[in-house]
Amino acid sequence: MAITATHPLDLPRQHLFWIFHSAGWLGYFGQSWLSAIAYGKPSGYWIVPFTAACTGFVVTLGLRYLLRACWGLSPRKLLMTMIVPILASSAVMDLTTRTMLVRFCDTCAPTSRMAYIAYSLTYIYVVLAWVGLYLGIKYYRQLQDETQRALAARTMAHQAQLKMLRYQLNPHFLFNTLNAISTLVLDRDNATANRMVQGLSSFLRHSLDNDPMQRVTLRQELDALTLYLDIEKIRFAERLRIETDIDEDCWRALLPSLLMQPLVENAIKYAVAKQVAGGLLRIEAERDGDQLVLRVIDDGPGCSSLEGNQLPPGKGVGLRNTRERLNVLYGEESSFSVRNRARGIEVELRLPFETKQLGGD
């Protein structure tokens, strides 16, 4: 039976925190008690370091929740926010501990306001050490997550290129497009045929040259979609109706390139192509706090096999591909949902609202 060694920092985060937190304050108590013995303190003196450790255990829990709540702030703002809580934590530790200390030391009671202020800083180094250790571990875990996510995203990039050929440049799409071009040539509609060939060439070039990991602005994403939609509009003519509703603030938002193309293709395939009268394709984008919300909506027959807001197994390869890509790139900060409307289907994507490349100045 094989035994696999587990690195301490690979434990679940909640377990890791409580192990380190408890061990740290237990170690502080042990070190303080041994130091007191070395200085000849009486046997009952253990209550002083014990009180300090217990108080520190509690007050630093409060600091933990505050640090978690303020984690999204810049380092400077985080530092300014934490100054007062750190000073207050030191003061509370001193207040409770000194209550026990005066039992063994008559001269340890503060006799003036300045003495209270000076004594309140007694445990500042302990609190700062705890905060430094907490931040160090948290930054390490965050860096570890980002590294693992980057590695997974790079691996997926190669898969995405292959899958892109599968759901963007599939034989069905190419066959219909080339067949439409052939029909136009036979009808001597050379201008339209030439326009369709140029559109197909531009879209193929963009799809093949595009880096799946590259983030582009929403404006660039919609420009790329236009290359695809121009071809489909020639194929379907008046049967394909397109609407867009983009909030002004969203044009500069960043998203993975060609993220929306499989959603649009899916809507055309199942909503427009299957209806004699064609259908409506609507693309929406809005900002919801710190999230970019994208929607692709059609007025087709819908999907009776939807399970909640997810597709059943084996359905919607392009949609599942998009959801997988979002999950690898953004993790729990993103979401993907599909739902039936009164008429048609709505696909909604949520991802962090970003306006500059990660790692930029």
Side-chain angles (χ1 to χ4, degrees), residues 123-285:
Y123 293 95
I124 189 71
Y125 74 97
V126 180
V127 177
L128 285 175
W130 185 94
V131 171
L133 182 61
Y134 180 86
L135 292 177
I137 294 175
K138 193 169 181 67
Y139 274 119
Y140 173 83
R141 292 300 296 261
Q142 180 173 291
L143 178 61
Q144 189 181 53
D145 287 348
E146 291 175 353
T147 300
Q148 291 176 350
R149 187 171 295 174
L151 291 174
R154 288 182 182 277
T155 300
M156 188 178 178
H158 300 289
Q159 298 175 354
Q161 287 178 319
L162 296 176
K163 292 176 181 179
M164 183 172 62
L165 293 175
R166 178 181 179 183
Y167 61 69
Q168 292 177 350
L169 308 181
N170 57 68
H172 178 76
F173 164 67
L174 288 175
F175 173 80
N176 286 335
T177 303
L178 294 174
N179 186 58
I181 293 173
S182 176
T183 300
L184 291 171
V185 171
L186 291 175
D187 291 342
R188 298 184 181 279
D189 190 351
N190 295 333
T192 304
N194 183 60
R195 184 158 54 92
M196 201 169 190
V197 169
Q198 290 178 343
L200 178 61
S201 174
S202 297
F203 177 70
L204 293 177
R205 185 182 303 112
H206 178 87
S207 299
L208 294 173
D209 292 344
N210 185 265
D211 180 359
M213 290 303 300
Q214 180 69 31
R215 297 173 194 265
V216 298
T217 64
L218 181 59
R219 186 179 296 278
Q220 292 172 316
E221 174 77 355
L222 292 183
D223 287 344
L225 272 178
T226 300
L227 296 175
Y228 171 77
L229 290 173
D230 283 345
I231 300 171
E232 298 291 19
K233 282 191 287 187
I234 295 174
R235 283 181 54 207
F236 292 101
E238 293 81 7
R239 293 178 61 208
L240 174 59
R241 302 182 301 281
I242 301 171
E243 293 181 358
T244 59
D245 183 10
I246 312 296
D247 285 358
E248 186 63 31
D249 195 33
C250 294
W251 287 112
R252 59 194 178 93
L254 292 174
L255 66 157
S257 62
L258 291 177
L259 182 70
M260 302 180 68
Q261 196 278 336
L263 309 182
V264 171
E265 180 177 350
N266 189 78
I268 292 176
K269 180 178 180 180
Y270 292 104
V272 178
K274 290 192 174 184
Q275 299 185 105
V276 175
L280 172 69
L281 173 66
R282 182 176 177 84
I283 300 173
E284 298 179 354

Side-chain angles (χ1 to χ4, degrees), residues 64-75 77-78 81-82:
R64 179 206 182 197
Y65 291 118
L66 182 59
L67 284 168
R68 292 174 66 182
C70 300
W71 189 249
L73 299 178
S74 65
K77 290 183 178 179
L78 181 61
T81 301
M82 294 303 299

